[in-house]
Amino acid sequence: MPFCAQCGAPVGAVQFCSKCGARVPAAAGTVPTPPPVSPAQPHRPITPVPNPPGAQPVAQGGNVLMKVLVGFLVFILLIVLAVMGSCVYIGYRAKKKADEIQQAYKTNDLNKLAGALGVGNSPGASGSSRRSSSGTAGDDSAASSTPLSFPSWTPPAAGAEAITKVPLRVGLTVVTAIAQFGGDYESIKQVQQIIPSGVRLSYRADNVPNPLEGLQKLSGDAAPKSSGSISGQRTVRTLDLQNAHDYMQWFGPNQPDLMPGTTAIGVSREVLFELREKGETQFSFRTGGLKGMAGSLLGALGQMAGGSTPGASKETKDLASMGKDECTLKRVGNGLASFPVLLNNQRVSLPALHAQCTTDDGLADFYFLDDLDNPLALAWKLGSSDTLQLVKISYPVQSAAAPAGSSSTPTAAGAGGSQQIEQELKQTGQAEVYGIYFDFASDKIKPESEPVLREIADALNHNPGWKLRVEGHTDNIGGDQYNLDLSQRRAEAVKQVLVTRYHIAADRLTPQGFGATRPKEPNDTLAGRARNRRVELIRE
C-alpha cells in the first residue's frame, strides 16, 4: 500500500492524502501523487538576508558618485560664466573709457582730457599759466600764436661763398631747442648709419615735459616729477626719404623702430619739390602741445594694438591716428627766408622755404632747408603750443675719397676739419665750443660730445706749450648762484675728461664758470638761450 510522502499516512488509489491533503505521487503508469505535508511545519514567509556590515548597495553608490560629479561640473560652469561675465564687463568699461578719452581729445578741452585720463578735473582750472623748467614763471614763444619770422634770403654776391646745403652723412648731428607747456628742452638727433635701404638715427633729450604732469597742473592737482629723459633710435626708409608725406616728429621709447610712410628730422624730397613747383602739397604731422603729447601716447597704444595693419578695427585705427593732423601745406611767398644757425661752430644763414597750413588747432608754421637732398626741418610752430628751432648743426668733414655713407666713427666736428678749434686758438686766442653737450641741469657730458673733446685734445697735443682756461656759460633760466655753480661744475667736467681720457696734464687746464653773466645772444628767445649754453676756450 502506498503511503503519503508528506505525512506518512496510508493512502489508497487516490490523488490526495485524506489526512494532510498532499498530492499522492502516481505509481508507474498512474498520475504521481505529491508527497505529504507535515502539519507541524506551517508556511513561513521568506525573510531577506541583510548585507554584510560595511557593504554598500551597488545602485546607491553609483547615485552618490553621479551627484558629486554633477555638482563639480556645475561649480566649474559657474566659475567660467563668472570669468566670461567679468571679461565682458571689463571690455565694456575699457571701450567706454577709450570713447570718453577720444571724445575729450576731439573737443580740445584739456580739462576734460585730464578728467578722462583720471588725473583730476577741478573746476576753474586754466592752462594759461605755465612754469619754466627752472620752476620760475616763464613766458616764451610757445604761449603765443604769432607765427615765426625770419628775414629774407639774399643770394651771395658773385664769387662769394655761401653755405646752402647740409650733407646727409654718418655723424650728422642736429640740435633742436623746443618750447612746450612744461618748459624748454633740447634734443640731439644723430645719423648713426646709412645703408641702401635707409638711414638710422639716434635720439636723446632731457627735461622732456611729462604730459600727465601738465594735465595735473591744468586740473589743480599735485604734480609728479615734471621732466624726464628720452633716448631711442629710428630707421627711416630710403623710399620714405624720397616720397613720404607724413612728418613724424615725435620720438619715444614706445614707438617702433621702423615707421613706414614717415620721415623724422625733415620732409621728403617730394614734399619740398611740390612746394617749390606747385606751391602746395598734402601733408601730415603730429599735433603740438599737451594734446599732441597725450595723442602720441594714445597713438602708440593704437600702434601696438595693430592700428596700422590693414585688418584693424575702426576703433583701433582711430586710436592709432590720434595726435595726427592732416592738411594742405602751402608755400608762403615766392622767395626764401634766411635762417640763422650754428654750423660746425660757425654762425651762418641757410636758405629756408616757408610753408603754412591751418588745422583745428590753428596755424601750423614750417621752415624747411631748401635742399632736395636733405630738406631738414629748421623750425616749426604749431598753433599756440609747441615751437621748435634748429640751433646747431655739425657733421664730420670728409675727404673727397671718403664715401658719404661710410659708417666709420666721425672724427671731426668743424667745417674746417679737425683743426678748426686749433686754428681759432692760434688766430684769436679763443674758441667758442658748442659741440659739448650736458644732461639737463647736470655736469654729466653726453656721448655725442666725443668728437669735439677729441678735437680739443688734438689741439693741445699739437701745441704742448699751450695752457687753456676752460670757461662754462649758461642761459639765464634759474637763479644767478645756481647758474654760476652749474657752469663751474661743467667746466671742471670738461677738464676731468681731457685729463683722464685723453691724458692731458691737469696743470694745462683751468676751469672757470661764469653762469649767465656773459651771454652771446639775448636770452628772450629760444635759440638765444640755446646758444648761450656753451663752453669757451681761452689761451693763457
Side-chain angles (χ1 to χ4, degrees):
M1 173 180 293
F3 294 91
C4 177
Q6 185 70 22
C7 63
V11 295
V14 295
Q15 294 182 354
F16 299 95
C17 176
S18 59
K19 185 177 182 178
C20 65
R23 181 181 291 275
V24 177
T30 66
V31 178
T33 302
V37 178
S38 173
Q41 297 181 355
H43 176 72
R44 289 177 294 181
I46 299 175
T47 304
V49 180
N51 291 321
Q56 295 293 332
V58 175
Q60 183 179 359
N63 289 336
V64 172
L65 180 61
M66 181 61 69
K67 290 180 181 178
V68 172
L69 181 60
V70 170
F72 178 74
L73 292 177
V74 170
F75 177 72
I76 294 297
L77 180 61
L78 290 175
I79 293 178
V80 171
L81 291 176
V83 171
M84 291 178 63
S86 299
C87 292
V88 171
Y89 178 73
I90 292 172
Y92 166 76
R93 292 300 302 268
K95 185 179 185 303
K96 187 175 180 181
K97 174 58 70 173
D99 291 342
E100 181 184 357
I101 293 173
Q102 190 170 9
Q103 290 301 320
Y105 177 84
K106 289 180 178 179
T107 62
N108 287 333
D109 189 328
L110 298 183
N111 285 315
K112 286 185 178 179
L113 185 58
L117 291 173
V119 292
N121 188 18
S122 302
S126 171
S128 60
S129 63
R130 63 175 296 279
R131 302 192 69 82
S132 69
S133 57
S134 64
T136 59
D139 180 19
D140 57 46
S141 57
S144 170
S145 59
T146 305
L148 298 171
S149 179
F150 299 98
S152 298
W153 167 261
T154 301
E161 182 179 358
I163 299 176
T164 60
K165 294 180 177 292
V166 176
L168 180 62
R169 61 177 56 157
V170 172
L172 170 64
T173 303
V174 295
V175 180
T176 56
I178 301 105
Q180 286 184 325
F181 56 86
D184 293 1
Y185 70 96
E186 286 188 357
S187 71
I188 303 174
K189 308 176 189 75
Q190 190 174 72
V191 176
Q192 298 291 332
Q193 185 182 28
I194 299 178
I195 56 178
S197 60
V199 176
R200 188 162 183 80
L201 306 169
S202 65
Y203 176 89
R204 188 187 303 270
D206 293 318
N207 194 37
V208 179
N210 181 345
L212 295 182
E213 180 267 348
L215 287 170
Q216 287 184 325
K217 283 182 179 179
L218 291 176
S219 60
D221 294 340
K225 186 177 179 181
S226 63
S227 61
S229 298
I230 293 178
S231 61
Q233 293 188 329
R234 172 97 61 83
T235 299
V236 181
R237 302 185 307 172
T238 301
L239 178 64
D240 294 329
L241 291 174
Q242 294 298 315
N243 55 31
H245 284 245
D246 187 7
Y247 173 46
M248 175 56 184
Q249 76 270 27
W250 291 116
F251 288 77
N254 294 326
Q255 294 174 346
D257 176 79
L258 186 66
M259 304 181 71
T262 69
T263 57
I265 61 175
V267 295
S268 69
R269 182 185 187 93
E270 183 172 290
V271 166
L272 182 61
F273 178 81
E274 290 185 358
L275 288 172
R276 275 182 173 185
E277 302 301 320
K278 301 179 182 178
E280 65 180 37
T281 187
Q282 294 304 307
F283 190 61
S284 59
F285 58 95
R286 296 314 177 271
T287 308
L290 181 59
K291 178 182 175 183
M293 294 199 72
S296 69
L297 294 176
L298 297 172
L301 294 176
Q303 290 282 350
M304 290 187 291
S308 60
T309 58
S313 65
K314 181 181 181 300
E315 291 77 9
T316 307
K317 289 182 178 180
D318 290 343
L319 186 63
S321 63
M322 290 183 70
K324 181 178 178 179
D325 271 332
E326 297 180 350
C327 68
T328 299
L329 190 64
K330 297 183 178 182
R331 180 174 183 174
V332 178
N334 296 321
L336 298 175
S338 181
F339 185 83
V341 69
L342 286 169
L343 179 62
N344 287 334
N345 281 343
Q346 302 296 312
R347 284 177 169 81
V348 302
S349 291
L350 297 174
L353 187 146
H354 185 198
Q356 294 177 340
C357 70
T358 302
T359 69
D360 293 339
D361 297 312
L363 182 68
D365 207 23
F366 295 91
Y367 286 83
F368 304 119
L369 178 63
D370 189 39
D371 178 8
L372 289 173
D373 293 327
N374 190 18
L376 293 171
L378 300 177
W380 44 255
K381 185 176 178 59
L382 307 179
S384 60
S385 54
D386 295 3
T387 300
L388 174 144
Q389 185 167 341
L390 197 155
V391 294
K392 307 170 191 173
I393 303 174
S394 64
Y395 57 85
V397 176
Q398 299 174 338
S399 63
S406 171
S407 61
S408 60
T409 303
T411 58
S418 59
Q419 306 298 318
Q420 179 187 351
I421 292 177
E422 182 178 354
Q423 291 173 1
E424 291 183 3
L425 288 171
K426 283 182 178 180
Q427 295 170 4
T428 65
Q430 64 181 28
E432 296 178 14
V433 181
Y434 291 93
I436 299 178
Y437 308 107
F438 298 90
D439 285 356
F440 175 75
S442 169
D443 57 1
K444 182 179 179 181
I445 299 177
K446 294 180 182 292
E448 291 84 358
S449 309
E450 196 65 30
V452 170
L453 292 170
R454 188 184 303 113
E455 184 180 349
I456 296 172
D458 289 343
L460 288 168
N461 288 329
H462 296 160
N463 301 274
W466 282 4
K467 290 187 176 183
L468 300 179
R469 184 169 72 246
V470 181
E471 296 183 353
H473 300 271
T474 69
D475 59 25
N476 67 342
I477 302 297
D480 293 341
Q481 186 58 46
Y482 173 82
N483 284 328
L484 190 63
D485 175 69
L486 178 62
S487 62
Q488 180 67 34
R489 289 189 287 115
R490 287 180 170 178
E492 291 174 352
V494 173
K495 173 183 176 178
Q496 182 69 14
V497 169
L498 292 172
V499 169
T500 58
R501 192 177 304 168
Y502 295 98
H503 311 294
I504 303 298
D507 59 0
R508 299 179 64 189
L509 301 168
T510 303
Q512 186 174 2
F514 289 91
T517 61
R518 297 183 179 183
K520 287 290 184 179
E521 297 188 21
N523 276 304
D524 57 358
T525 67
L526 185 63
R529 290 192 293 273
R531 292 172 188 143
N532 285 332
R533 299 188 288 266
R534 68 194 187 279
V535 171
E536 289 192 19
L537 302 176
I538 310 295
R539 281 181 58 189
E540 295 183 327

